[in-house]
Amino acid sequence: QVQLVESGGGLVQPGGSLRLSCAVSGSTFSLYAMSWYRQAPGKERELVAAITSIGDSTNYADSVKGRFTISRDNVRNTVYLQMNSLKLEDTAVYYCRARTTWRDAWGQGTLVTVSP
């Protein structure tokens, strides 16, 4: 059973930075495409960033392009989301997702609050 544990959320001022981490256990991390989603209050969950299983390709939501960077460490079994130039509208619960053709798993989420 694959398990995902996010960390790194918190309170930050506009313009600040945070780095989220998602540690994966219970399965072979390098088989999974990884992604970050977020859900703001009253809104649907949306894709923020994604990275292939070997890290050779990434894609981003238009709203975060140039500010967020997704990366992965297949030795530490961890995926990261570096968030820079944070805006009020980035406030949300951020979720990590791991997918293969036979499995789809989510973490419990970590709250990011951007506030003056």
Side-chain angles (χ1 to χ4, degrees), residues 23-101:
V24 179
S25 61
S27 190
T28 304
F29 179 67
S30 60
L31 296 178
Y32 291 84
M34 300 298 300
S35 50
W36 287 96
Y37 285 72
R38 68 185 180 187
Q39 187 166 20
K43 295 188 176 181
E44 293 188 354
R45 193 172 297 190
E46 63 174 355
L47 176 67
V48 175
I51 188 167
T52 56
S53 60
I54 60 173
D56 61 336
S57 180
T58 58
N59 65 280
Y60 297 92
D62 288 343
S63 59
V64 306
K65 280 181 182 176
R67 300 189 298 122
F68 290 11
T69 303
I70 188 171
S71 61
R72 66 188 295 156
D73 185 334
N74 283 2
V75 174
R76 291 184 170 84
N77 294 349
T78 302
V79 63
Y80 304 98
L81 185 68
Q82 178 66 43
M83 306 186 295
N84 299 328
S85 303
L86 283 160
K87 303 177 180 180
L88 297 175
E89 53 265 40
D90 294 319
T91 295
V93 177
Y94 285 71
Y95 297 90
C96 177
R97 184 182 190 186
R99 282 200 299 176
T100 65
T101 54

